[in-house]
Amino acid sequence: MEYQTKEPVTVQAFLDSEHSGSQNDVAEEKRGTGEDQQDMYRMGKTQETRAILDPDWNSANTFGLINGGTGGLIWTYIGTFIGFFAAIASMAEMASQAPTTGGQYHWVSEFAPRSAQRIMSYLVGWLCVLGWQVGNSAIGYICGTVIQGLVVLNYPDYEPQRWQGTLMIWAVLTFSILFNTFLAARLPLVEGIILVLHIVGFFAVLIPLWVLGDRSNASDVFFTFTDGGGWGNIGLSCLVGMLSPVFSFIGPDSATHMSEELRDASSSLPRAMVWTAIVNGALGFIMLVTFCMMVGDIETILETPTGYPFIQVFYNATGSHAGTSVMTAILIIMLLFGCVTNFATSSRQLWAFARDQGVPFSGFLSRVRPGYDIPLNSIIVTWVFAMLLSLINLGSSVAFNIVTSLGTGALICSYIVSISCIIIKRVRGEPLLPRRWDLGRWGLPINIFSVLFLTLVFIFSFFPESPQGLNAVSFNWNILIFGAVVILSGIYFVAHGRKVYVGPVAYVKKDI
C-alpha cells in the first residue's frame, strides 16, 4: 500500500509559508538555523515551536541495596553506564539523521523495513507517550514522599498520610505546568541557573559527607555483595538490583522530544545527549560511591522510618537535623525541576504523536495556538492526566506504583525497537541518511551491543524485588501493564488508527 504525501514544495516555498512582516523575529526563532530548516522540510513538518533551547540516583538505591549490596550497586552502575552509553550513542546518531520531536516512533517509521513501518511505529508511539506521561506522577510522588520522609526525621511523631502525599504530587504538577507555560520562553536562562544549582548542590551534599561521615573500608564497600532478596544466587541478585542504576539513566531520549525547540538540532542534539550522559554518569558515580562508603549497616539503613536510606545516611553523617534538611532540600529542588523537564518532554511527545494522527482527539492535541509557540493543549492535557492518575494514591499507593511502573519497560522497549531498525539497515547494506554525528565503522557493533544490553534490562524490569512471599504488594506488575498497553494500542490501531495513521515516513520529502 502506498500512502499519499503532501504536495512537494521547494525549500524556499516552505520557508516563505511562514509568518512575515512584524512577526519576522518570532519566525526566525521558529525556523532555527539553515540545517534546522532543511531537516524540518525533509521530514515534511512545519516549525511551530520556537527554536530557543540549547541543550537521582538517591531515590532509587533501595532496590540495589537489597539485591546486590554496596558492591552490587557500584559494579552494576558501571556496567549500566557502559550499556546505556552505547544506547545513547546509537540514538544520538539517529537523532542527527532525523531531529524530530517524535523521537523513537518517527525513527521506527522511517528506518524500519517497509512492511513493518506503520504498525511498529504506531505501537512504539503509544509506548513512548504513556511511558513519559506516567513519569510526571511518578516523579511527583517521589518528591512528595521525600518531603514526608524529611518531616518524619524532624518530627518523629508525624505519621504520613496518603492524602497529604497526593496533595504534594498536585503541588509539584501544578508548579510544572506553570513553569512550562508562563516561563517557557525563559527556559534557556532557567536551565543555566539549574545547572549552576546542580553543580553547587553536588558539592553541598558531598563535602559534609566527606568531612563528617564515618567511612567504611573501601575493599568491603566495593566487594561486599548480598542477596537480601533471597534469589539464592549473588549474580542473579545483582542483575535484579541493576534496576537501581537503570532508574538513574532511563529517559536519555528526553532531549530528542524537545529537538524542534533546539537551534542547529542535527548537531547540538546528539552532542548534548552524549555529553549529558558522560557528565551525569561521572557525577552519579562519585555520589554513589560516597553513599556506599557512608551507608554503614545496610539492614539498619533500610529500616529507616523516613522511607529513604539516603536521608538516614545524611543524618548519620552530620548528626544534625538542620544539616540533613538542607542537604535533602537540595535533592527535592532537583526532583522538582526534574518533573518540570519530564513534563516538557511528555507534553511534546504527546503533541508530536497527535500531529501524526496517532492518538484520539489529534486535532485538538496537535494544535499550537498563535502567539504561544508551545503545544499548550497537550501541556494542559498532560497536567490533567497526571493529576487524575495521582488520585489512585488516595486508595492505594501499591496500585499507584503498579500503574506508574509502565514507564521503565515501555521506554526500554522503544529503544530496542528503534535501534534494531538501524541494525537491520546496516546489515542489509542500505544507506543511512546524511548525519552530522556519525558512529562510523563502530556503528554496527555499538548498535548490537546496546540492543543486547537493553534486552537484558527489559527482561529484568519485570522481576520483583524478591521471589519470596510474593503477593499483590510485592509482585512486579510491570509486565501486566506493559502487555495491556501493547494489546489495547493494537486493538485501537485495528479499529481506528489504521484508517488515519500513515506514519511520519509518509510525509518525508524524497526530492532533496
Short mmCIF file of all heavy atoms in Angstrom, two decimals, residues 185-244:
data_model
loop_
_atom_site.label_atom_id
_atom_site.label_comp_id
_atom_site.label_asym_id
_atom_site.label_seq_id
_atom_site.Cartn_x
_atom_site.Cartn_y
_atom_site.Cartn_z
N ALA A 185 9.45 30.68 27.52
CA ALA A 185 10.41 31.47 26.73
C ALA A 185 11.69 31.74 27.50
O ALA A 185 12.69 32.17 26.92
CB ALA A 185 9.77 32.78 26.31
N ARG A 186 11.69 31.48 28.80
CA ARG A 186 12.87 31.73 29.62
C ARG A 186 13.60 30.44 29.98
O ARG A 186 14.47 30.44 30.86
CB ARG A 186 12.46 32.47 30.91
CG ARG A 186 11.87 33.85 30.67
CD ARG A 186 12.94 34.84 30.26
NE ARG A 186 12.39 36.18 30.04
CZ ARG A 186 12.07 36.66 28.87
NH1 ARG A 186 12.23 35.91 27.77
NH2 ARG A 186 11.58 37.89 28.73
N LEU A 187 13.25 29.36 29.33
CA LEU A 187 13.85 28.07 29.66
C LEU A 187 15.38 28.07 29.55
O LEU A 187 16.05 27.48 30.41
CB LEU A 187 13.26 26.97 28.78
CG LEU A 187 11.89 26.43 29.22
CD1 LEU A 187 11.38 25.40 28.23
CD2 LEU A 187 11.95 25.84 30.62
N PRO A 188 15.98 28.68 28.53
CA PRO A 188 17.45 28.66 28.47
C PRO A 188 18.09 29.29 29.70
O PRO A 188 19.05 28.76 30.25
CB PRO A 188 17.75 29.48 27.21
CG PRO A 188 16.54 29.33 26.37
CD PRO A 188 15.39 29.30 27.33
N LEU A 189 17.56 30.45 30.15
CA LEU A 189 18.11 31.11 31.33
C LEU A 189 17.90 30.26 32.56
O LEU A 189 18.83 30.07 33.37
CB LEU A 189 17.43 32.48 31.52
CG LEU A 189 17.78 33.23 32.82
CD1 LEU A 189 19.27 33.54 32.87
CD2 LEU A 189 16.94 34.51 32.93
N VAL A 190 16.69 29.73 32.73
CA VAL A 190 16.39 28.93 33.91
C VAL A 190 17.23 27.65 33.92
O VAL A 190 17.71 27.21 34.97
CB VAL A 190 14.89 28.60 33.95
CG1 VAL A 190 14.57 27.68 35.13
CG2 VAL A 190 14.08 29.89 34.08
N GLU A 191 17.41 27.02 32.73
CA GLU A 191 18.22 25.81 32.67
C GLU A 191 19.66 26.10 33.10
O GLU A 191 20.30 25.27 33.75
CB GLU A 191 18.20 25.25 31.25
CG GLU A 191 16.91 24.53 30.91
CD GLU A 191 16.95 23.90 29.54
OE1 GLU A 191 17.83 24.29 28.73
OE2 GLU A 191 16.13 23.02 29.26
N GLY A 192 20.16 27.30 32.75
CA GLY A 192 21.50 27.69 33.19
C GLY A 192 21.58 27.81 34.69
O GLY A 192 22.57 27.37 35.32
N ILE A 193 20.55 28.40 35.28
CA ILE A 193 20.50 28.55 36.73
C ILE A 193 20.45 27.18 37.41
O ILE A 193 21.14 26.93 38.41
CB ILE A 193 19.29 29.40 37.15
CG1 ILE A 193 19.45 30.84 36.62
CG2 ILE A 193 19.13 29.41 38.67
CD1 ILE A 193 18.23 31.71 36.84
N ILE A 194 19.64 26.29 36.85
CA ILE A 194 19.51 24.94 37.42
C ILE A 194 20.82 24.18 37.29
O ILE A 194 21.21 23.41 38.19
CB ILE A 194 18.36 24.17 36.73
CG1 ILE A 194 17.03 24.88 36.99
CG2 ILE A 194 18.31 22.73 37.23
CD1 ILE A 194 16.71 25.06 38.46
N LEU A 195 21.54 24.39 36.18
CA LEU A 195 22.83 23.74 36.02
C LEU A 195 23.79 24.17 37.12
O LEU A 195 24.50 23.35 37.71
CB LEU A 195 23.42 24.06 34.65
CG LEU A 195 24.83 23.53 34.37
CD1 LEU A 195 24.85 22.01 34.46
CD2 LEU A 195 25.33 24.00 33.02
N VAL A 196 23.82 25.49 37.40
CA VAL A 196 24.67 26.00 38.47
C VAL A 196 24.25 25.40 39.81
O VAL A 196 25.09 24.97 40.61
CB VAL A 196 24.60 27.54 38.52
CG1 VAL A 196 25.34 28.07 39.75
CG2 VAL A 196 25.18 28.15 37.25
N LEU A 197 22.94 25.37 40.06
CA LEU A 197 22.43 24.78 41.31
C LEU A 197 22.80 23.31 41.40
O LEU A 197 23.14 22.81 42.49
CB LEU A 197 20.91 24.95 41.37
CG LEU A 197 20.20 24.33 42.58
CD1 LEU A 197 20.70 24.97 43.87
CD2 LEU A 197 18.69 24.49 42.46
N HIS A 198 22.76 22.62 40.27
CA HIS A 198 23.10 21.20 40.24
C HIS A 198 24.55 20.99 40.67
O HIS A 198 24.84 20.11 41.50
CB HIS A 198 22.89 20.66 38.82
CG HIS A 198 23.11 19.19 38.69
ND1 HIS A 198 22.19 18.26 39.12
CD2 HIS A 198 24.14 18.48 38.18
CE1 HIS A 198 22.65 17.04 38.88
NE2 HIS A 198 23.83 17.14 38.31
N ILE A 199 25.46 21.80 40.13
CA ILE A 199 26.88 21.65 40.46
C ILE A 199 27.13 22.06 41.92
O ILE A 199 27.82 21.36 42.67
CB ILE A 199 27.75 22.49 39.51
CG1 ILE A 199 27.55 22.05 38.06
CG2 ILE A 199 29.21 22.39 39.91
CD1 ILE A 199 27.93 20.62 37.80
N VAL A 200 26.58 23.21 42.31
CA VAL A 200 26.75 23.68 43.69
C VAL A 200 26.14 22.69 44.67
O VAL A 200 26.73 22.36 45.71
CB VAL A 200 26.12 25.08 43.87
CG1 VAL A 200 26.15 25.49 45.35
CG2 VAL A 200 26.87 26.11 43.03
N GLY A 201 24.94 22.20 44.35
CA GLY A 201 24.28 21.24 45.22
C GLY A 201 25.05 19.94 45.34
O GLY A 201 25.08 19.31 46.41
N PHE A 202 25.69 19.54 44.24
CA PHE A 202 26.51 18.32 44.25
C PHE A 202 27.59 18.40 45.33
O PHE A 202 27.75 17.49 46.15
CB PHE A 202 27.14 18.15 42.86
CG PHE A 202 28.09 17.00 42.74
CD1 PHE A 202 27.63 15.70 42.64
CD2 PHE A 202 29.47 17.22 42.72
CE1 PHE A 202 28.51 14.63 42.52
CE2 PHE A 202 30.35 16.16 42.59
CZ PHE A 202 29.88 14.87 42.49
N PHE A 203 28.30 19.53 45.37
CA PHE A 203 29.35 19.68 46.37
C PHE A 203 28.78 19.99 47.76
O PHE A 203 29.38 19.62 48.78
CB PHE A 203 30.33 20.78 45.94
CG PHE A 203 31.19 20.37 44.78
CD1 PHE A 203 30.94 20.84 43.50
CD2 PHE A 203 32.25 19.49 44.97
CE1 PHE A 203 31.73 20.45 42.42
CE2 PHE A 203 33.05 19.09 43.90
CZ PHE A 203 32.78 19.58 42.62
N ALA A 204 27.62 20.65 47.80
CA ALA A 204 26.99 20.95 49.09
C ALA A 204 26.56 19.68 49.80
O ALA A 204 26.48 19.64 51.04
CB ALA A 204 25.79 21.88 48.88
N VAL A 205 26.29 18.63 49.05
CA VAL A 205 25.92 17.34 49.64
C VAL A 205 27.17 16.51 49.93
O VAL A 205 27.30 15.90 51.00
CB VAL A 205 24.96 16.57 48.71
CG1 VAL A 205 24.77 15.13 49.21
CG2 VAL A 205 23.63 17.28 48.62
N LEU A 206 28.10 16.49 48.98
CA LEU A 206 29.27 15.64 49.12
C LEU A 206 30.22 16.08 50.23
O LEU A 206 30.71 15.26 51.01
CB LEU A 206 30.03 15.57 47.80
CG LEU A 206 29.47 14.68 46.71
CD1 LEU A 206 30.43 14.61 45.55
CD2 LEU A 206 29.20 13.27 47.23
N ILE A 207 30.50 17.37 50.28
CA ILE A 207 31.52 17.85 51.23
C ILE A 207 31.18 17.52 52.68
O ILE A 207 32.04 17.01 53.43
CB ILE A 207 31.76 19.37 51.04
CG1 ILE A 207 32.45 19.61 49.69
CG2 ILE A 207 32.61 19.93 52.18
CD1 ILE A 207 32.65 21.07 49.34
N PRO A 208 29.93 17.76 53.15
CA PRO A 208 29.61 17.36 54.53
C PRO A 208 29.77 15.85 54.76
O PRO A 208 30.20 15.43 55.84
CB PRO A 208 28.14 17.79 54.69
CG PRO A 208 27.97 18.89 53.70
CD PRO A 208 28.81 18.51 52.54
N LEU A 209 29.42 15.06 53.73
CA LEU A 209 29.57 13.61 53.89
C LEU A 209 31.04 13.23 53.97
O LEU A 209 31.43 12.39 54.80
CB LEU A 209 28.91 12.89 52.70
CG LEU A 209 27.39 12.98 52.60
CD1 LEU A 209 26.89 12.27 51.34
CD2 LEU A 209 26.72 12.37 53.83
N TRP A 210 31.88 13.83 53.13
CA TRP A 210 33.31 13.52 53.16
C TRP A 210 33.97 13.96 54.47
O TRP A 210 34.83 13.26 55.00
CB TRP A 210 34.01 14.22 52.00
CG TRP A 210 33.70 13.65 50.65
CD1 TRP A 210 33.16 12.43 50.37
CD2 TRP A 210 33.90 14.29 49.38
NE1 TRP A 210 33.00 12.26 49.02
CE2 TRP A 210 33.45 13.39 48.38
CE3 TRP A 210 34.41 15.53 48.99
CZ2 TRP A 210 33.51 13.69 47.02
CZ3 TRP A 210 34.46 15.82 47.64
CH2 TRP A 210 34.03 14.93 46.67
N VAL A 211 33.55 15.12 54.96
CA VAL A 211 34.20 15.69 56.15
C VAL A 211 33.68 15.06 57.44
O VAL A 211 34.46 14.75 58.36
CB VAL A 211 34.00 17.22 56.19
CG1 VAL A 211 34.53 17.80 57.50
CG2 VAL A 211 34.70 17.88 55.00
N LEU A 212 32.38 14.85 57.53
CA LEU A 212 31.76 14.45 58.79
C LEU A 212 31.44 12.96 58.89
O LEU A 212 31.32 12.43 60.00
CB LEU A 212 30.46 15.25 59.00
CG LEU A 212 30.61 16.78 59.04
CD1 LEU A 212 29.23 17.43 59.12
CD2 LEU A 212 31.48 17.21 60.22
N GLY A 213 31.30 12.31 57.76
CA GLY A 213 30.84 10.92 57.78
C GLY A 213 31.92 9.93 58.20
O GLY A 213 33.12 10.18 58.04
N ASP A 214 31.48 8.79 58.73
CA ASP A 214 32.39 7.68 59.07
C ASP A 214 32.48 6.75 57.87
O ASP A 214 31.50 6.11 57.48
CB ASP A 214 31.88 6.92 60.29
CG ASP A 214 31.91 7.77 61.55
OD1 ASP A 214 32.82 8.61 61.66
OD2 ASP A 214 31.01 7.60 62.40
N ARG A 215 33.67 6.66 57.28
CA ARG A 215 33.86 5.87 56.07
C ARG A 215 34.05 4.39 56.40
O ARG A 215 34.73 4.04 57.36
CB ARG A 215 35.06 6.37 55.28
CG ARG A 215 34.97 7.82 54.84
CD ARG A 215 36.23 8.21 54.05
NE ARG A 215 36.24 9.62 53.73
CZ ARG A 215 36.67 10.58 54.51
NH1 ARG A 215 37.11 10.27 55.72
NH2 ARG A 215 36.65 11.85 54.12
N SER A 216 33.48 3.57 55.57
CA SER A 216 33.71 2.13 55.68
C SER A 216 34.98 1.78 54.93
O SER A 216 35.50 2.57 54.13
CB SER A 216 32.53 1.36 55.09
OG SER A 216 31.33 1.65 55.78
N ASN A 217 35.47 0.58 55.14
CA ASN A 217 36.65 0.11 54.43
C ASN A 217 36.34 -0.02 52.94
O ASN A 217 35.33 -0.61 52.56
CB ASN A 217 37.11 -1.23 54.99
CG ASN A 217 38.36 -1.75 54.32
OD1 ASN A 217 38.30 -2.36 53.27
ND2 ASN A 217 39.50 -1.50 54.96
N ALA A 218 37.21 0.54 52.10
CA ALA A 218 36.95 0.57 50.66
C ALA A 218 36.77 -0.82 50.06
O ALA A 218 35.88 -1.05 49.23
CB ALA A 218 38.08 1.31 49.94
N SER A 219 37.62 -1.77 50.48
CA SER A 219 37.51 -3.12 49.92
C SER A 219 36.19 -3.77 50.30
O SER A 219 35.59 -4.51 49.50
CB SER A 219 38.69 -3.98 50.39
OG SER A 219 38.68 -4.10 51.81
N ASP A 220 35.71 -3.49 51.52
CA ASP A 220 34.42 -4.03 51.93
C ASP A 220 33.28 -3.43 51.10
O ASP A 220 32.34 -4.12 50.72
CB ASP A 220 34.18 -3.74 53.42
CG ASP A 220 35.10 -4.52 54.32
OD1 ASP A 220 35.64 -5.55 53.87
OD2 ASP A 220 35.32 -4.10 55.48
N VAL A 221 33.38 -2.13 50.85
CA VAL A 221 32.33 -1.46 50.10
C VAL A 221 32.26 -1.96 48.66
O VAL A 221 31.19 -2.25 48.13
CB VAL A 221 32.55 0.07 50.11
CG1 VAL A 221 31.61 0.77 49.14
CG2 VAL A 221 32.35 0.61 51.52
N PHE A 222 33.43 -2.08 48.01
CA PHE A 222 33.47 -2.44 46.60
C PHE A 222 33.26 -3.94 46.37
O PHE A 222 32.85 -4.33 45.27
CB PHE A 222 34.80 -2.01 45.99
CG PHE A 222 34.83 -0.58 45.54
CD1 PHE A 222 35.04 0.44 46.46
CD2 PHE A 222 34.66 -0.25 44.21
CE1 PHE A 222 35.08 1.77 46.06
CE2 PHE A 222 34.69 1.08 43.80
CZ PHE A 222 34.90 2.09 44.73
N PHE A 223 33.53 -4.77 47.38
CA PHE A 223 33.50 -6.20 47.13
C PHE A 223 32.62 -6.97 48.11
O PHE A 223 32.79 -8.17 48.29
CB PHE A 223 34.93 -6.77 47.14
CG PHE A 223 35.80 -6.16 46.08
CD1 PHE A 223 36.73 -5.19 46.41
CD2 PHE A 223 35.67 -6.54 44.75
CE1 PHE A 223 37.54 -4.62 45.45
CE2 PHE A 223 36.47 -5.98 43.78
CZ PHE A 223 37.41 -5.01 44.11
N THR A 224 31.67 -6.26 48.73
CA THR A 224 30.67 -6.93 49.56
C THR A 224 29.37 -7.02 48.78
O THR A 224 28.77 -6.01 48.43
CB THR A 224 30.43 -6.15 50.88
OG1 THR A 224 31.63 -6.14 51.65
CG2 THR A 224 29.32 -6.82 51.68
N PHE A 225 28.98 -8.25 48.51
CA PHE A 225 27.77 -8.50 47.74
C PHE A 225 26.78 -9.27 48.62
O PHE A 225 27.17 -10.19 49.34
CB PHE A 225 28.07 -9.31 46.47
CG PHE A 225 29.09 -8.66 45.57
CD1 PHE A 225 30.45 -8.93 45.73
CD2 PHE A 225 28.70 -7.80 44.57
CE1 PHE A 225 31.39 -8.34 44.90
CE2 PHE A 225 29.63 -7.20 43.74
CZ PHE A 225 30.98 -7.46 43.91
N THR A 226 25.52 -8.88 48.54
CA THR A 226 24.50 -9.53 49.36
C THR A 226 23.33 -9.99 48.50
O THR A 226 23.08 -9.45 47.42
CB THR A 226 23.97 -8.57 50.45
OG1 THR A 226 23.40 -7.41 49.83
CG2 THR A 226 25.10 -8.13 51.37
N ASP A 227 22.64 -10.97 49.01
CA ASP A 227 21.44 -11.48 48.35
C ASP A 227 20.26 -11.29 49.29
O ASP A 227 19.63 -12.24 49.74
CB ASP A 227 21.63 -12.96 47.98
CG ASP A 227 20.41 -13.55 47.29
OD1 ASP A 227 19.60 -12.77 46.74
OD2 ASP A 227 20.25 -14.79 47.31
N GLY A 228 19.99 -10.02 49.60
CA GLY A 228 18.91 -9.71 50.53
C GLY A 228 17.54 -10.09 50.02
O GLY A 228 16.60 -10.27 50.80
N GLY A 229 17.40 -10.19 48.71
CA GLY A 229 16.10 -10.55 48.13
C GLY A 229 15.80 -12.02 48.19
O GLY A 229 14.66 -12.44 47.95
N GLY A 230 16.83 -12.84 48.49
CA GLY A 230 16.61 -14.28 48.61
C GLY A 230 16.52 -15.00 47.27
O GLY A 230 15.77 -15.98 47.13
N TRP A 231 17.32 -14.59 46.29
CA TRP A 231 17.30 -15.24 44.98
C TRP A 231 18.12 -16.52 44.95
O TRP A 231 18.01 -17.32 44.02
CB TRP A 231 17.80 -14.28 43.92
CG TRP A 231 16.88 -13.12 43.69
CD1 TRP A 231 16.95 -11.87 44.25
CD2 TRP A 231 15.71 -13.11 42.87
NE1 TRP A 231 15.90 -11.09 43.82
CE2 TRP A 231 15.13 -11.83 42.98
CE3 TRP A 231 15.09 -14.07 42.06
CZ2 TRP A 231 13.96 -11.48 42.30
CZ3 TRP A 231 13.93 -13.73 41.38
CH2 TRP A 231 13.37 -12.45 41.51
N GLY A 232 18.99 -16.70 45.95
CA GLY A 232 19.79 -17.92 46.00
C GLY A 232 21.04 -17.86 45.16
O GLY A 232 21.77 -18.84 45.06
N ASN A 233 21.32 -16.71 44.55
CA ASN A 233 22.49 -16.57 43.70
C ASN A 233 22.90 -15.10 43.69
O ASN A 233 22.08 -14.24 43.35
CB ASN A 233 22.19 -17.07 42.29
CG ASN A 233 23.39 -16.99 41.38
OD1 ASN A 233 23.73 -15.93 40.86
ND2 ASN A 233 24.06 -18.14 41.17
N ILE A 234 24.16 -14.82 44.02
CA ILE A 234 24.62 -13.45 44.10
C ILE A 234 24.55 -12.76 42.74
O ILE A 234 24.13 -11.60 42.62
CB ILE A 234 26.06 -13.37 44.66
CG1 ILE A 234 26.07 -13.76 46.14
CG2 ILE A 234 26.63 -11.96 44.47
CD1 ILE A 234 25.33 -12.77 47.03
N GLY A 235 24.98 -13.47 41.69
CA GLY A 235 24.95 -12.89 40.35
C GLY A 235 23.55 -12.48 39.92
O GLY A 235 23.34 -11.37 39.40
N LEU A 236 22.59 -13.38 40.15
CA LEU A 236 21.20 -13.08 39.79
C LEU A 236 20.67 -11.93 40.62
O LEU A 236 19.97 -11.04 40.11
CB LEU A 236 20.33 -14.33 40.00
CG LEU A 236 18.83 -14.16 39.73
CD1 LEU A 236 18.58 -13.71 38.29
CD2 LEU A 236 18.09 -15.47 40.03
N SER A 237 21.02 -11.91 41.91
CA SER A 237 20.57 -10.82 42.79
C SER A 237 21.11 -9.48 42.31
O SER A 237 20.38 -8.48 42.30
CB SER A 237 21.04 -11.09 44.22
OG SER A 237 20.55 -10.10 45.10
N CYS A 238 22.37 -9.44 41.87
CA CYS A 238 22.95 -8.19 41.36
C CYS A 238 22.25 -7.74 40.08
O CYS A 238 22.04 -6.54 39.87
CB CYS A 238 24.44 -8.37 41.11
SG CYS A 238 25.44 -8.49 42.61
N LEU A 239 21.89 -8.69 39.22
CA LEU A 239 21.20 -8.33 37.98
C LEU A 239 19.82 -7.76 38.27
O LEU A 239 19.38 -6.82 37.61
CB LEU A 239 21.09 -9.56 37.07
CG LEU A 239 22.39 -10.02 36.40
CD1 LEU A 239 22.17 -11.32 35.65
CD2 LEU A 239 22.92 -8.94 35.46
N VAL A 240 19.15 -8.30 39.28
CA VAL A 240 17.85 -7.74 39.67
C VAL A 240 18.06 -6.35 40.25
O VAL A 240 17.31 -5.41 39.96
CB VAL A 240 17.15 -8.65 40.70
CG1 VAL A 240 15.88 -8.00 41.22
CG2 VAL A 240 16.81 -10.00 40.08
N GLY A 241 19.10 -6.20 41.07
CA GLY A 241 19.40 -4.90 41.67
C GLY A 241 19.90 -3.88 40.67
O GLY A 241 19.97 -2.68 40.98
N MET A 242 20.22 -4.34 39.45
CA MET A 242 20.67 -3.43 38.40
C MET A 242 19.61 -2.38 38.07
O MET A 242 19.92 -1.32 37.52
CB MET A 242 21.00 -4.24 37.14
CG MET A 242 21.42 -3.43 35.94
SD MET A 242 21.89 -4.49 34.53
CE MET A 242 20.35 -5.38 34.26
N LEU A 243 18.36 -2.64 38.44
CA LEU A 243 17.30 -1.68 38.16
C LEU A 243 17.54 -0.35 38.88
O LEU A 243 17.07 0.69 38.42
CB LEU A 243 15.95 -2.26 38.57
CG LEU A 243 15.41 -3.40 37.69
CD1 LEU A 243 14.06 -3.86 38.19
CD2 LEU A 243 15.32 -2.97 36.24
N SER A 244 18.28 -0.36 39.98
CA SER A 244 18.57 0.91 40.67
C SER A 244 19.36 1.86 39.79
O SER A 244 18.94 3.00 39.58
CB SER A 244 19.31 0.64 41.98
OG SER A 244 18.40 0.30 43.01
#
